[in-house]
């Protein structure tokens, strides 16, 4: 059986992380974890100064592909996820799992949806939400 961490961050997007994708993969393997869902923070505070939400969405997806590539060195599996900080829902954090990398590109303002709106969109795309 493989152990998969369902919620990891990297410093390329999430301000709370201090490690890059390669370091995350190496450290996880040392702890007996075989793969991870990269669920970096998707929120307004993660935008760089002057960056549009569309640019952020693309940077978010690119970070996933960079981490996935770096993790190959260790034969560590990386899956795509999103941790949305919902501004209209008291800033609760919702993990979006099971959607593909086009999801934030199609819906770049995820953090501005209500929980019901986000749930409907995620389910239409075959994903699930986890708080």
């Amino acid at each position: 059986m493989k152990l998969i961490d369902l919620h990891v961050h990297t410093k390329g997007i999430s301000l709370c992380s201090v490690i890059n994708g390669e370091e995350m993969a190496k450290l996880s393997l040392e702890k007996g974890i075989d793969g991870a869902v990269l669920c970096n923070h998707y929120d307004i505070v993660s935008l760089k100064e002057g960056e549009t939400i569309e640019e952020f969405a693309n940077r978010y997806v690119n970070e996933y592909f960079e981490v996935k590539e770096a993790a190959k060195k260790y034969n560590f599996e990386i899956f795509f996820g999103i941790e949305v900080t919902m501004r209209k829902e008291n800033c609760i954090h919702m993990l979006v799992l099971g959607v593909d990398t086009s999801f934030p590109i199609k819906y770049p303002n995820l953090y501005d949806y209500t929980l019901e709106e986000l749930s409907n969109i995620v389910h239409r795309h075959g994903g699930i939400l986890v708080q």
Side-chain angles (χ1 to χ4, degrees), residues 68-100:
K68 187 172 181 71
E69 185 63 30
K72 284 182 182 178
K73 177 179 179 179
Y74 300 98
N75 199 28
F76 189 78
E77 294 184 69
I78 297 291
F79 303 95
F80 183 72
I82 307 168
E83 181 179 343
V84 181
T85 301
M86 304 192 66
R87 295 192 316 169
K88 291 184 179 178
E89 303 286 347
N90 296 318
C91 292
I92 63 168
H93 293 199
M94 297 299 295
L95 296 183
V96 177
L97 306 173
V99 298
D100 65 31

Side-chain angles (χ1 to χ4, degrees), residues 11 39 42 46 56 59 68 74 76 117 123:
K11 70 180 181 178
C39 291
Y42 198 96
S46 296
F56 172 70
R59 184 166 60 89
K68 187 172 181 71
Y74 300 98
F76 189 78
E117 290 167 335
H123 291 132

